[in-house]
Amino acid sequence: MEEGCSRIRRRVSVCKRNRPSLASTSAIPSAAQLQSRDEQEEEEEMVTRSRRRKTVGVQPVEHNDSEEDMFGDYDSFTENSFLAQVDDLEQKYIQLSEQRKHATDFATEDFCSESIKNKLSVTTVSNFTEYKSDKHTENQTEHEDVPVEPGTDVLYDLPSSQILYFENLQNSSNDLGDQLTEKGDGSSSFPNTVNEELSHNCIKQQEQNDGSSSKVRSNSDTSRRKSIKDHLKSTMTGNAKAQTPIFSRSKQLKETLLSEEINVAKKTIESSSDDLGPFYSLPSKVRDLYVQFKGIEKLYEWQHTCLTLSSVQERKNLIYSLPTSGGKTLVAEILMLQELLCRRKDVLMILPYVAIVQEKISGLSSFAIELGFFVEEYAGSKGRFPPIKRREKKSLYIATIEKGHSLVNSLIETGRIDSLGLVVVDELHMIGEGSRGAILEMTLAKILYTSKTTQIIGMSATLNNVEDLQQFLQAEYYTSQFRPVELKEYLKINDTIYEVDSKADSGMTFSRLLNYKYSDTLKKMDPDHLVALVTEVIPNYSCLVFCPSKKNCENVAEMICKFLSKEYLKQREKEKCELIKNLRNMSSGNLCPVLKRTIPFGVAYHHSGLTNDERRLLEEAYSTGTLCLFTCTSTLAAGVNLPARRVILRAPYVAKEFLKRNQYKQMIGRAGRAGIDTIGESILILQEKDKQQVVLNLVLELISRPLENCYSCLVQEFTKGIQTLFLSLIGLKIATNLDDIYHFMNGTFFAVQQKTLLKEKSLWEITVESLGYLTEKGLLQKYTVLSEEELQYNFHITKLGRASFKGTIDLAYCDILYRDLKKGLEGLVLESLLHLIYLTTPYDLVSQCDPDWMIYFRQFSQLSPAEQNVAALLGVSESFIGKKASGQAIRKKVDKDIVNRLYLSFVLYTLLKETNIWSVSEKFNMSRGYIQNLLTGAASFSSCVLHFCEELEEFWVYRALLVELTKKLTYCVKAELIPLMEVTGVLEGRAKQLYNAGYKSLMHLANANPEVLIRTIDHLSRRQAKQIVSSAKMLLHEKAEALQEEVEELLRLPSDLPDVEASSSEKA
């Protein structure tokens, strides 16, 4: 400590010797002073050495926390007392002022302020430059006569704590200066610093000298000196108690090194050099972060090959395909980081499901914090359109297919599409799956058409007709059959297990017989021998059993647990109890009876009937080994990554449909965990009904045939496909005439496959037909223009068309929505939320609704008069519902869609009032997962309706109402939990835990210690705690950056501001 103090003093002393004092810079030195300067510097060096020797032996002073005067009447802190110097200075000033009472008023004033200022401040020199330059000429002569000791510098002798105080004095002195100015006569023109008090006192004393006796002056001098001493003592006392700020030298060095490496990486990428730098043209810190956060020390050989492809280096579009679990995502992440850090461009990553978006955001937030970029979520009702234009840091947008399309539209509309350097599409094969595939195709086609600098990377495990996709995306192709863990496929027929062998004539070879003793009861309960297959791997390894339906998942889980031995109950007993406890806490004391019976054995079911909170907890428990067996539906194969040692397919069906090759490959791809298992196994069970030769042939074909081709759905999905595309092309002014629209269509995936998909019509005919339909529907206006002796058909979007395009409303429902909103204005009921909820209940869920009429009647009879008015306005009467409930014949026709939609509105309305999914699930006899999906759909549709209304002036009243409703539907929790649930990965149950533990805001979470979180929050792993903190920090930084940009925008000088001087000269 003593060594540290003396080192600081030496450093400060050297700085002080090399810097001229304020008084010396403002006065012209005499000849004698110039001659003796070298001698004075030598003497000063000797004094400094003697002080260093004396400082070494100084004992540390005992810390004093009291508010009493630590100094008392003792003024000397060192041999050369600081306060004594101040006294001497004041005495010299008094003598000087008496000698030159009137002749040198300004000179004395300047001298006093500047001399004392020289003793007290280093950082305020620049504040006085302008003032000194104004006074310098007229005060030059007077300053020559002032006897100032050379080298005098108060900071020369100060301890380090006082030096830090004076060096930071400028930051905190403005308020003090303001107060002093108010107490004085207000005539001082100096800046409001601590020095102002001293200079002001000097001037005030000079004025007192002009009008007072020497006795009064003497008393005033004494009191003034006392006040200066008291002020300095109190200042230094407070400063001594203050903590010295600690600056991490190592952190600064790391940040500097990272910045330098990024600059080197930029040059490497821009050059044609083969040297890829520390880590694939990225700083070495990226490699260290992958080791730290993901445990990845080395890339697979195929990953290295892919990253060093010439097409990748030249930024050509790329499609690459590998089996599931091959490590595709890591390659995409490295390419995204290159774009963000080195090329300084934004990146869009498109993923198929909300759960995967949130998982990816949680995983990449830590990298974003360390490397200085933003990660933004575009899923559900989250996302800002257009995105914030960042000042320095770049953004990684992680979006679902629908939100990715809206994001690209907003960038095109604002002319910022070129800021998007890279687009990564995971599960590229989904381009051939219905309306979502059509939206993905539109997104990619628009990027290809509007931006020549944006690179597109597509990846998938299940691609067959890659040539078509290559032609569409103008892309290179890379593929490999690499799997980190070997996968063996088996078929089970009766007690016999066959291995799939493509070389064998039958496509399979005998492997083994099941050796498991079955009782008669067990044979009846488990004809497929699931218990035998499962117990071969659990509890030491994990296992997934894919079932055809949700109900079958629950039945199989219970059946297996009935025949497991009691030994399974002892495995990780404490963790299982914790899991059950957390499931209860997150569900307000409720627990599924099936899970209550199966979890003690390490078994659980997994399907869409679970709430998001339940699913998250069960997935975490499976990942950590607390659970060893999941019975699940096919949705798990396409969702979050939950690999297993053995995957069992209970039947070759999904619901009642026979499995597709793509689905089969995705399911069995979950077998084998890299770094944990040495082998992965998949077993497809054939039941009695499947043993017919026809089905057996289908199964053999399933395991051996190529993957299904991927076909465009752009025309097949008429209202969500080609019509929506044309409406957005004209709305965004990408193409507004028939020729340009046809030219755009030639660049789509559909155009590549048009001869295969629609032989009877040409692309031109399809284009003209679709535009005609939109014009008839009132979404477009057509007009002709004569140019170069040719008729050209131009199109203009109508107000309704723009509203539909902006709100991303399915064109099948846009006119119905307009009619419903218009009718709502005639008698909008605002006494409750029911009417608004009805208007934002998704149309596409109505057809799937099958009301329970007794429940419907019971809920209807409990409505308040205002709520009954809503039903009456919609044309649904209580008598109608009563007759339906009692099974009576109904003569009067009532729109079935309105009745079903109102029933779904009752579900949502009850949920918003009670905020408890379990109680609502029981009231309406619906699965809690279905209710949560309904809520998510309503929140998303509410956001769409809001954007729809923003484009139509007549619906202004809905705008403010729908903002609040969208927020309620998005979170559906008490208001105090909403700030926590804004953090990616924090759902209702976790938000309650955090809130009860004292983490009540985003700032709390962003500054939380992950280790403390682990100890405070039940069933929270270290990885999850770190992800929550990283996500919170990222969100906080985003909000802070947005506010800074808003401030800068407000303070920015308008580009179109009239020039005052120019206008005045024009007048003259």
Side-chain angles (χ1 to χ4, degrees), residues 82 84 255 745 749 783 942 965 1059 1067:
F82 175 47
E255 288 176 355
M745 277 299 293
F749 187 39
Y783 57 97
S942 178
L965 180 64
D1059 191 341
K1067 287 179 182 178

Side-chain angles (χ1 to χ4, degrees), residues 671-834:
R673 297 178 297 175
I676 300 173
D677 298 327
T678 54
I679 194 170
E681 301 170 334
S682 73
I683 301 174
L684 173 58
I685 297 173
L686 294 185
Q687 299 170 339
E688 283 296 326
K689 62 178 181 178
D690 302 323
K691 291 172 187 173
Q692 301 169 14
Q693 192 59 43
V694 177
V695 179
L696 193 58
N697 290 339
L698 284 173
V699 170
L700 292 174
E701 193 180 331
L702 172 69
I703 61 178
S704 59
R705 70 167 180 251
L707 295 163
E708 287 87 3
N709 284 338
C710 194
Y711 292 111
S712 170
C713 297
L714 195 62
V715 173
Q716 180 187 336
E717 295 290 331
F718 198 53
T719 56
K720 286 188 177 179
I722 193 166
Q723 288 186 12
T724 301
L725 172 62
F726 287 173
L727 195 64
S728 63
L729 289 180
I730 296 162
L732 293 169
K733 297 180 181 176
I734 296 172
T736 55
N737 61 63
L738 184 56
D739 291 336
D740 289 347
I741 294 168
Y742 175 69
H743 178 62
F744 181 96
M745 277 299 293
N746 277 298
T748 60
F749 187 39
F750 173 77
V752 174
Q753 299 178 327
Q754 191 260 324
K755 290 181 181 177
T756 308
L757 295 175
L758 209 62
K759 294 178 182 177
E760 62 273 16
K761 287 184 181 177
S762 68
L763 193 60
W764 176 266
E765 289 172 327
I766 294 166
T767 304
V768 171
E769 187 181 303
S770 299
L771 288 168
Y773 181 86
L774 290 170
T775 307
E776 287 174 16
K777 206 166 183 180
L779 302 173
L780 291 179
Q781 285 179 343
K782 178 182 174 183
Y783 57 97
T784 55
V785 177
L786 186 65
S787 62
E788 298 178 3
E789 300 180 358
E790 285 186 7
L791 275 177
Q792 194 174 55
Y793 294 100
N794 286 10
F795 294 89
H796 176 73
I797 194 167
T798 63
K799 287 184 178 180
L800 178 61
R802 180 167 293 281
S804 303
F805 148 61
K806 286 278 191 172
T808 61
I809 305 293
D810 185 346
L811 299 186
Y813 306 120
C814 66
D815 49 352
I816 302 171
L817 175 62
Y818 179 82
R819 192 168 61 245
D820 286 347
L821 291 170
K822 190 80 172 172
K823 189 177 180 182
L825 288 178
E826 295 171 9
L828 189 61
V829 179
L830 295 177
E831 288 183 48
S832 76
L833 288 172
L834 181 60

Side-chain angles (χ1 to χ4, degrees), residues 25 161 181 215 249 323 406 482 558 570 574 684 801 866 910 989:
T25 57
S161 64
T181 307
K215 184 178 179 180
R249 179 71 176 157
S406 298
F482 172 82
E558 284 202 280
K570 297 176 183 177
K574 185 181 176 183
L684 173 58
T910 308

Side-chain angles (χ1 to χ4, degrees), residues 428-434 460 462-469 477 660-663 665 701 705-713 716 749 752-753 756-757:
L428 183 60
H429 62 271
M430 289 195 74
I431 200 170
E433 295 187 10
S460 175
T462 54
L463 282 178
N464 189 33
N465 56 331
V466 181
E467 297 81 10
D468 289 349
L469 282 165
Y477 179 58
K660 294 179 181 177
R661 173 71 172 165
N662 289 352
Q663 292 172 319
K665 289 292 283 184
E701 193 180 331
R705 70 167 180 251
L707 295 163
E708 287 87 3
N709 284 338
C710 194
Y711 292 111
S712 170
C713 297
Q716 180 187 336
F749 187 39
V752 174
Q753 299 178 327
T756 308
L757 295 175

Side-chain angles (χ1 to χ4, degrees), residues 915-1048:
T915 67
N916 186 331
I917 285 180
W918 282 83
S919 64
V920 177
S921 173
E922 289 173 11
K923 274 184 183 177
F924 288 90
N925 194 25
M926 291 176 168
S927 75
R928 51 198 183 278
Y930 175 80
I931 291 172
Q932 192 159 59
N933 290 336
L934 173 63
L935 182 68
T936 305
S940 184
F941 187 63
S942 178
S943 176
C944 292
V945 175
L946 172 60
H947 293 304
F948 181 88
C949 293
E950 283 173 345
E951 297 299 320
L952 296 169
E953 190 63 34
E954 60 196 295
F955 294 145
W956 63 270
V957 70
Y958 288 117
R959 293 174 201 168
L961 297 170
L962 288 175
V963 168
E964 194 59 33
L965 180 64
T966 303
K967 198 170 185 179
K968 284 179 180 290
L969 290 167
T970 301
Y971 299 107
C972 193
V973 292
K974 292 179 180 176
E976 61 263 24
L977 297 181
I978 289 177
L980 299 176
M981 289 184 68
E982 287 178 347
V983 178
T984 301
V986 176
L987 301 175
E988 183 182 356
R990 186 71 80 203
K992 285 178 181 175
Q993 284 182 311
L994 291 166
Y995 189 86
N996 293 333
Y999 298 95
K1000 298 183 178 181
S1001 69
L1002 181 62
M1003 287 76 78
H1004 285 151
L1005 271 187
N1007 293 288
N1009 183 340
E1011 298 301 322
V1012 176
L1013 275 181
I1014 295 165
R1015 294 194 297 270
T1016 311
I1017 308 299
D1018 292 335
H1019 211 75
L1020 183 69
S1021 68
R1022 181 171 280 99
R1023 180 180 64 86
Q1024 292 154 6
K1026 287 180 177 178
Q1027 285 180 347
I1028 286 173
V1029 173
S1030 295
S1031 298
K1033 281 182 179 176
M1034 176 56 53
L1035 186 57
L1036 192 64
H1037 287 176
E1038 279 180 29
K1039 290 191 172 187
E1041 182 88 3
L1043 288 172
Q1044 286 174 354
E1045 286 169 359
E1046 193 175 338
V1047 169
E1048 287 190 0

Side-chain angles (χ1 to χ4, degrees), residues 26 70 148 154 355 360 415 445 453 491 604-605 725 854 891 985 989 1012:
S26 59
M70 292 194 299
V148 181
V154 176
K360 184 58 64 180
T453 59
L491 281 176
Y605 66 86
L725 172 62
M854 283 304 297
R891 295 176 186 176
V1012 176

Side-chain angles (χ1 to χ4, degrees), residues 294-483:
K294 298 193 175 185
I296 298 172
E297 296 182 1
K298 189 179 179 183
L299 270 64
Y300 296 130
E301 188 177 337
W302 83 263
Q303 291 171 329
H304 173 77
T305 305
C306 187
L307 286 167
T308 52
L309 289 172
S310 59
S311 55
V312 173
Q313 301 301 312
E314 293 165 13
R315 295 192 78 249
K316 292 181 180 177
N317 295 344
L318 176 72
I319 299 169
Y320 62 99
S321 176
L322 279 98
T324 305
S325 304
K328 297 184 294 296
T329 309
L330 179 59
V331 170
E333 286 180 10
I334 290 172
L335 292 173
M336 290 191 298
L337 290 174
Q338 285 180 1
E339 202 69 31
L340 289 161
L341 301 179
C342 305
R343 297 190 181 95
R344 307 294 296 162
K345 293 267 194 168
D346 296 327
V347 174
L348 168 61
M349 186 177 200
I350 299 175
L351 300 169
Y353 303 110
V354 175
I356 304 176
V357 168
Q358 292 176 341
E359 184 184 38
K360 184 58 64 180
I361 287 172
S362 297
L364 289 177
S365 290
S366 305
F367 286 84
I369 295 291
E370 293 290 335
L371 298 171
F373 61 90
F374 289 112
V375 179
E376 299 184 38
E377 179 180 353
Y378 282 79
S381 58
K382 291 186 178 179
R384 186 189 295 234
F385 303 104
I388 297 170
K389 193 174 182 180
R390 305 291 180 187
R391 294 177 305 161
E392 295 176 3
K393 294 182 179 179
K394 296 302 171 184
S395 291
L396 168 58
Y397 311 114
I398 303 184
T400 55
I401 292 170
E402 294 78 9
K403 287 291 182 178
H405 182 227
S406 298
L407 178 66
V408 168
N409 282 344
S410 68
L411 289 173
I412 293 171
E413 188 173 24
T414 53
R416 289 166 50 194
I417 189 64
D418 287 331
S419 68
L420 202 60
L422 175 65
V423 175
V424 174
V425 182
D426 195 8
E427 310 295 354
L428 183 60
H429 62 271
M430 289 195 74
I431 200 170
E433 295 187 10
S435 60
R436 304 193 81 211
I439 293 169
L440 181 57
E441 181 180 344
M442 287 189 279
T443 306
L444 296 175
K446 285 175 185 174
I447 293 167
L448 288 166
Y449 192 84
T450 57
S451 175
K452 303 303 177 189
T453 59
T454 304
Q455 184 184 15
I456 297 173
I457 304 285
M459 52 182 170
S460 175
T462 54
L463 282 178
N464 189 33
N465 56 331
V466 181
E467 297 81 10
D468 289 349
L469 282 165
Q470 275 186 268
Q471 189 179 337
F472 165 49
L473 295 175
Q474 304 150 35
E476 302 288 321
Y477 179 58
Y478 176 83
T479 186
S480 170
Q481 293 305 310
F482 172 82
R483 265 188 68 94

